[in-house]
Amino acid sequence: NAGVTQTPKFQVLKTGQSMTLQCAQDMNHEYMSWYRQDPGMGLRLIHYSVGAGITDQGEVPNGYNVSRSTTEDFPLRLLSAAPSQTSVYFCASSYSGVEYNEQFFGPGTRLTVL
Amino acid sequence: AQKITQTQPGMFVQEKEAVTLDCTYDTSDQSYGLFWYKQPSSGEMIFLIYQGSYDEQNATEGRYSLNFQKARKSANLVISASQLGDSAMYFCAMREGPTWMDSSYKLIFGSGTRLLVRP
């Protein structure tokens, strides 16, 4: 199993550009989510999905879109990048419906918006 | 109000000694879960230990144990016999609500504690 994979590892954008961060998991997890981590802070939830076709907003959803067309993939779209979106982005997945729902994290994408 | 509070931005510990990292939480749900994650300098998030709100015993995983004091709403991580490889950021996180609720899978993180193990 590859676990949770994210691409790219690093990305530099100019203000106003759009891009998609990719996330895939091969563990057949129902639940997937995106977090961002800013310096000196913990992770904050952007969007999450409890299954294909179902998504919902987290704590900091503005400026981001998601969709979940398959169980395996959960891409995060930046519509018009802003310097405030400079951060490290983590994708995570877990089983649903269990008490001990450890979330498995991808390696992260470091995004810089100039 | 902060849902997860980690009051120690940074800590030192001597190799082979034990160290306690503090975490307090705030929730009105009866069903919740508490997690600790380790983030080394390489950046990945590594799951360490989990405690459910209904668990009567403190969770343990190898050298990690969780000192769960429900009435005080604290879930401190204890690392015994510290090793140089334990130097990292440590995050406490919480999920709220019963697991049949979709929203219960959202994790709320604290701001972390940076631990440095001295040889």
Side-chain angles (χ1 to χ4, degrees):
Chain A
N1 282 354
V4 180
T5 57
Q6 292 183 237
T7 56
K9 284 189 167 50
F10 302 93
Q11 183 70 49
V12 179
L13 292 178
K14 294 181 180 177
T15 297
Q17 287 185 317
S18 62
M19 79 159 294
T20 299
L21 307 185
Q22 301 291 345
C23 174
Q25 53 89 12
D26 60 359
M27 297 173 281
N28 205 31
H29 287 165
E30 299 92 343
Y31 183 80
M32 295 185 74
S33 54
W34 278 101
Y35 294 85
R36 60 177 286 173
Q37 183 179 25
D38 299 314
M41 298 181 68
L43 281 66
R44 291 183 294 167
L45 183 65
I46 304 172
H47 285 285
Y48 66 100
S49 168
V50 297
I54 307 169
T55 64
D56 204 348
Q57 296 181 353
E59 181 186 355
V60 288
N62 291 342
Y64 306 96
N65 269 359
V66 292
S67 60
R68 184 105 177 261
S69 55
T70 66
T71 301
E72 294 79 18
D73 300 298
F74 190 43
L76 178 72
R77 296 184 191 84
L78 279 70
L79 309 173
S80 177
S84 60
Q85 293 178 305
T86 294
S87 190
V88 180
Y89 291 84
F90 288 96
C91 179
S93 73
S94 74
Y95 291 108
S96 62
V98 293
E99 163 78 17
Y100 178 60
N101 59 332
E102 173 193 347
Q103 295 202 21
F104 295 82
F105 284 83
T109 294
R110 187 174 294 273
L111 175 68
T112 301
V113 182
L114 303 175
Chain B
Q2 295 261 23
K3 289 269 190 177
I4 296 286
T5 303
Q6 295 181 253
T7 57
Q8 306 153 313
M11 288 192 70
F12 291 95
V13 65
Q14 206 64 33
E15 194 179 7
K16 299 179 185 175
E17 292 185 349
V19 63
T20 297
L21 307 184
D22 294 341
C23 173
T24 58
Y25 59 92
D26 181 26
T27 182
S28 56
D29 280 302
Q30 296 300 309
S31 176
Y32 54 90
L34 297 152
F35 299 79
W36 277 92
Y37 282 86
K38 173 184 178 181
Q39 187 177 44
S41 57
S42 52
E44 72 267 33
M45 296 291 288
I46 302 168
F47 166 77
L48 295 178
I49 197 166
Y50 171 82
Q51 179 85 40
S53 59
Y54 295 117
D55 294 340
E56 296 188 351
Q57 303 276 353
N58 284 343
T60 60
E61 289 285 350
R63 293 186 299 111
Y64 304 107
S65 61
L66 202 151
N67 184 1
F68 181 47
Q69 299 188 38
K70 196 170 181 177
R72 297 182 59 189
K73 293 190 175 178
S74 74
N76 298 338
L77 177 71
V78 180
I79 306 175
S80 62
S82 297
Q83 302 172 355
L84 296 178
D86 293 335
S87 293
M89 281 290 288
Y90 289 82
F91 292 98
C92 180
M94 177 176 66
R95 62 153 192 84
E96 295 180 284
T99 54
W100 53 263
M101 286 182 63
D102 293 343
S103 60
S104 76
Y105 298 97
K106 303 191 299 186
L107 285 184
I108 304 162
F109 283 83
S111 55
T113 295
R114 183 173 298 280
L115 177 66
L116 185 61
V117 180
R118 289 171 166 155

